Amino acid sequence: MGWPLEAPLPLIDAHIHMDLYDEVTRERLLQELPGFDLEAVIAVSMNLASCKVNLALAERHQGLVYPAFGFHPEQPIPLESEITRLLDWIGQHAGEMIAVGEIGLPYYARKDSQAQGIPFDLEPYVDLMEKMLLTAKKYDKPVVLHAVYDDADLVCDLLDRHNITKAHFHWFKGSKKTVQRMADRGFYISFTPDILYEPEIQGLARMYPPDRVMAETDGPWPFEGPFCGQITHPRMVGNVVNAWANLQGMSQGASAATLYHNTRRFYGI
C-alpha cells in the first residue's frame, strides 16, 4: 500500500541517498514523485563524489531535490588531503546545501571490527565529525546525523560542546535515557518504513515528541515485512505516515500535516 492517501498535504522524504540508485532508476523515481504527492526529498551525501552527484540532481530538479553535503561515517576515514578537499568544496557550495549530512560516528563498523578482534580507532571519526559540525555552525546549517545506541550520547556531547541545536538523528535507535536527552534538547528524529514491523521503532514512535518527528526512507536501503523484495521508493513515506498516525492515535491527515510541517520547519524549506 502506498501514497496518495486522504491527507490534504504532500509528503517530504526527509532522508534518502539518491546518488546510490543507478542512474536510470534514480531518474525514474524522481519523475514519479509528483504522482505520489511527494513534494521534495532531502538527498544526503556519502563523500565528495556523492556531494557532486546530489548537487547536480538538485540543479536539474530544482525544488524537488534538496542536497545535504557530508561524509557518511560507516566507511574508512579519508586521507587528510581528501578531508580538506571535501570541506573546501562544501564551503564553496554552502549556499546550495540545505544541511550538512550525512555525518556521525561508525557504530556498525566499529562493532564489526570488535567482533573480529580488530582494533578500531574512533578518534579520527570524532575529529572529522567536529570539523563537520564547525562547518554547519559556520554556515548556519542543520546537521543530519548517523548516531545510534552508544554513539548517540557522544554525539549529543559534541552537539552541546559546539552549541549545535538543529540536529536530525535519522533512523535512530537508543536507550530511553538518550531519547529523553535528545527530546529535551529539541533534536529531531525520523522514522523509516520499518516502523510498520519493528517493535523497538514503534515504541520510540509512541514516546518521542510529535513536533520533532519526520518521515524518511533512507533509500535505496531495502526493507522487510510488507516491503520485502521491493525497491525502496520515496512514496513509502506514505506508509510511514499511516503507521505513525496509528501509533499516535491520530488521523492520517493530521499525521501527514504534522510530519510535513515538521520537515519544512527543520530544513527551512
Side-chain angles (χ1 to χ4, degrees):
M1 181 174 62
W3 200 257
L5 298 169
E6 64 194 52
L9 289 173
L11 300 169
I12 299 173
D13 188 337
H15 185 105
I16 188 170
H17 295 266
M18 291 307 308
D19 63 294
L20 296 184
Y21 292 89
D22 68 77
E23 187 173 355
V24 172
T25 301
R26 182 167 63 221
E27 291 301 320
R28 175 176 64 81
L29 293 182
L30 289 172
Q31 292 295 330
E32 290 175 353
L33 295 190
F36 291 103
D37 287 342
L38 264 291
E39 179 178 281
V41 299
I42 309 299
V44 296
S45 299
M46 297 287 294
N47 47 38
L48 180 55
S50 175
C51 290
K52 291 178 178 179
V53 171
N54 284 326
L55 176 58
L57 288 173
E59 291 174 342
R60 193 158 64 250
H61 300 277
Q62 291 188 18
L64 186 63
V65 176
Y66 292 93
F69 303 144
F71 182 86
H72 196 294
E74 299 286 353
Q75 54 188 333
I77 204 75
L79 297 173
E80 193 62 37
S81 59
E82 295 173 325
I83 293 174
T84 299
R85 281 199 297 273
L86 172 59
L87 293 173
D88 287 347
W89 188 91
I90 291 176
Q92 293 165 11
H93 297 279
E96 297 155 288
M97 70 177 175
I98 200 166
V100 172
E102 182 171 355
I103 62 174
L105 297 178
Y107 178 84
Y108 299 107
R110 189 170 77 257
K111 290 298 182 183
D112 286 346
S113 292
Q114 291 172 346
Q116 299 174 51
I118 301 172
F120 191 97
D121 186 3
L122 185 62
E123 285 307 308
Y125 289 91
V126 174
D127 181 65
L128 176 55
M129 183 174 177
E130 290 205 85
K131 288 184 172 69
M132 290 292 181
L133 292 178
L134 289 172
T135 298
K137 191 171 184 178
K138 178 179 180 179
Y139 298 109
D140 192 26
K141 300 291 183 178
V143 293
V144 187
L145 299 166
H146 171 92
V148 297
Y149 299 117
D150 299 344
D151 285 350
D153 282 309
L154 177 53
V155 168
C156 284
D157 290 342
L158 294 173
L159 294 171
D160 288 348
R161 180 186 303 172
H162 297 290
N163 195 30
I164 302 289
T165 58
K166 294 198 69 176
H168 169 198
F169 288 73
H170 101 96
W171 204 346
F172 178 75
K173 303 99 175 168
S175 70
K176 288 185 178 180
K177 180 180 178 181
T178 304
V179 168
Q180 189 60 56
R181 181 182 183 185
M182 291 163 50
D184 288 345
R185 282 158 174 74
F187 298 150
Y188 285 62
I189 64 173
S190 54
F191 295 109
T192 71
D194 74 350
I195 193 175
L196 274 76
Y197 56 84
E198 286 286 355
E200 177 186 10
I201 302 301
Q202 292 168 349
L204 176 60
R206 290 187 182 96
M207 67 186 298
Y208 209 79
D211 63 342
R212 295 292 185 270
V213 171
M214 298 182 277
E216 62 157 305
T217 62
D218 199 30
W221 185 270
F223 291 93
E224 301 173 3
F227 312 104
C228 187
Q230 299 180 35
I231 185 172
T232 297
H233 193 297
R235 66 176 170 77
M236 291 177 182
V237 295
N239 300 98
V240 178
V241 167
N242 289 350
W244 190 72
N246 291 335
L247 292 168
Q248 288 289 319
M250 65 172 66
S251 70
Q252 293 175 6
S255 171
T258 299
L259 299 179
Y260 175 77
H261 287 305
N262 289 350
T263 308
R264 288 183 62 93
R265 180 173 65 248
F266 178 82
Y267 282 109
I269 298 174

